[in-house]
Amino acid sequence: MGNMLNAIKDMPLKAAYYMGKRDAYRKELADELALAKVKTTPTQIGRIKVYYLLADSFDERFAEEMGWI
């Protein structure tokens, strides 16, 4: 647990921002997918695609900031 807290503490602020945005979009995606199981509309399909692309984009930016890619 201590190692994880140190890693978070030492994380660059920009990386933390991208991680937060990525997680927020993943939650929105999960919520939209849960709603789409009942009755899918074209608007929901569009939102799902947008949330997926945004989460993927912020995931890539996060990895770049962390120096992983």
Side-chain angles (χ1 to χ4, degrees):
M1 182 76 166
N3 289 338
M4 182 185 283
L5 293 176
N6 284 334
I8 292 170
K9 180 185 70 148
D10 296 336
M11 181 186 301
L13 289 177
K14 220 174 192 181
Y17 169 78
Y18 291 136
M19 183 178 72
K21 294 295 278 185
R22 174 200 66 189
D23 292 346
Y25 286 125
R26 283 183 178 173
K27 182 182 179 332
E28 291 291 331
L29 176 60
D31 292 346
E32 201 65 43
L33 286 170
L35 288 173
K37 290 179 183 175
V38 178
K39 183 178 179 186
T40 307
T41 65
T43 303
Q44 286 175 320
I45 293 170
R47 285 186 191 136
I48 289 167
K49 289 178 181 180
V50 168
Y51 288 140
Y52 177 77
L53 290 172
L54 286 169
D56 188 50
S57 172
F58 279 98
D59 193 35
E60 186 174 325
R61 290 179 184 170
F62 170 69
E64 287 174 1
E65 285 298 318
M66 293 301 289
W68 297 341
I69 58 172

